[in-house]
Amino acid sequence: MSDTQPEIRKGLVGVVADVSAVSKVMPETNSLTYRGYAVQDLAEQCSFEEVAYLLWNGELPTAAQLAEFRREEAGNRAISPALHQVIKAFPHDAHPMDAIRTAVSFMGLEDPEAADTSEPATRRKAMRLLAKIPTAIAAAHRAAKGQEPVAPDPGLGFAENFFHVVLGKVPQPEVVKAFDVSLILYAEHGFNASTFTARTVTSTGADLHGAVTAAIAALKGPLHGGANEAVMHMLAEIGDPAKAAAWLQGRFDHKALVMGFGHRVYKHGDSRVPTMTKYAEKMAEVVGDRRWMEMSRILATEMVEKKNIHPNLDFPAGPAYHLMGFDIPLFTPIFVASRITGWAAHVIEQAADNRLIRPLSNYTGVAQRTVPALTERS
Ligand code: COA
């Protein structure tokens, strides 16, 4: 080993890979801003559509701009008969993240501007993806349950329509607001694994559908987006608040991960958690089922006291989605329906000032050798 070995940052920990004007993650204050606005303020004061506009355009929309954005989104929700056929052919036990990944890839085949990677075309494609992803998620979910798809309703807002296409009904406004808040909180988060994947694909000159397909593949993993599903499975396994502390001790004894806790960047808490917890608590009141939030409270208190590891957004989002009436396998696809906004903003930013992303590795394999003839190999 020479003294000139490069420093290796496993997992790219602490590596600043580029500049970005989309969002700012501030671990020192556990806070997050989108285009300069605190995410918790956006969640309380804006709709998801306003936040999508903000991420893509840098400023919040005027009333007229918002009306036009909503009109375009609502008008692009239908998916093609061919995609409906493809979705019907998916194995019924396919994971919904694999289903939406495949559906987005198929949308790329059909998109009228598929090969056009110019910024105006990418923006139009992003709008089509934002509008169509919920339709495809819902169609795949319903097909897996033997149900017919529900046609999107252009008269409904984005969050209302999501309930409509998945469940066939729109719940009361408090539930829609809680869901909208979750979409805002999930929309964007700096150079996380799926966003960095999207930027890497974009850096090769590939198109938006390719970048988003790859990003969905990255988001599925339980160390990333899949954690919101894992949290609900964990709560269901515990089953009773009285068992939460003993269950957690068992995880400590086995040095096992507790899903929904810890974060690569935030080490002292995640600013999205109090807002999501507040709305998850509201869902518990609306539904009249306090069990999940009570269990969550015990787990969070013990994790912070005993391990100093704080909950991340997936921790309150898991039970919130369950209380809203969504099946667990839909939780990470919901994350996709939201994060398409952040991914597209980063794809546009990467393409506007691109350099191929291509890091180096330090070779640790066998030393160079000659190829033996076939007869000389044992
Ligand atoms: N449960 C138990 N221990 C945890 C933990 C968790 N959820 N998260 C971190 N730790 C422990 C690690 O085991 C490690 O302990 P050690 O120093 O004794 O080895 C220590 O805390 C530091 O964690 P580290 O592995 O350096 O964090 P990371 O930055 O590599 O990983 C995550 C971040 C998100 C991958 C990790 O916290 C995790 O796997 N969390 C659970 C999955 C999850 O909720 N993901 C959603 C992220 S938004």
Side-chain angles (χ1 to χ4, degrees), residues 128-145:
R128 288 195 278 277
L129 280 175
L130 174 68
K132 291 182 200 311
I133 282 174
T135 317
I137 290 170
H141 182 64
R142 293 180 67 88
K145 296 171 94 173

Side-chain angles (χ1 to χ4, degrees), residues 10-11 13 186 189 192 221-228 230-231 248 251-252 255-267 270 272 303 307-315 335:
K10 196 98 171 140
V13 172
Y186 267 131
H189 210 202
N192 59 84
L223 298 187
H224 192 6
N228 61 10
V231 166
L248 193 60
R251 302 296 283 184
F252 294 160
K255 298 200 179 317
L257 276 182
V258 185
M259 301 315 281
F261 286 89
H263 199 272
R264 169 56 61 81
V265 181
Y266 303 118
K267 297 298 180 194
D270 171 340
R272 302 166 300 173
M303 276 296 279
K307 297 279 168 188
N308 195 25
I309 301 177
H310 293 256
N312 57 55
L313 175 58
D314 293 317
F315 189 65
F335 195 159

Side-chain angles (χ1 to χ4, degrees), residues 212-288:
V212 173
T213 303
I216 296 171
L219 188 68
K220 183 187 174 194
L223 298 187
H224 192 6
N228 61 10
E229 296 183 19
V231 166
M232 197 57 219
H233 285 299
M234 174 179 84
L235 295 177
E237 186 190 320
I238 300 169
D240 180 348
K243 295 182 181 155
W247 183 92
L248 193 60
Q249 189 55 51
R251 302 296 283 184
F252 294 160
D253 294 346
H254 291 92
K255 298 200 179 317
L257 276 182
V258 185
M259 301 315 281
F261 286 89
H263 199 272
R264 169 56 61 81
V265 181
Y266 303 118
K267 297 298 180 194
H268 311 288
D270 171 340
S271 64
R272 302 166 300 173
V273 168
T275 309
M276 196 64 241
T277 304
K278 172 180 150 188
Y279 283 91
E281 294 282 3
K282 282 194 183 180
M283 288 305 91
E285 270 169 42
V286 168
V287 176

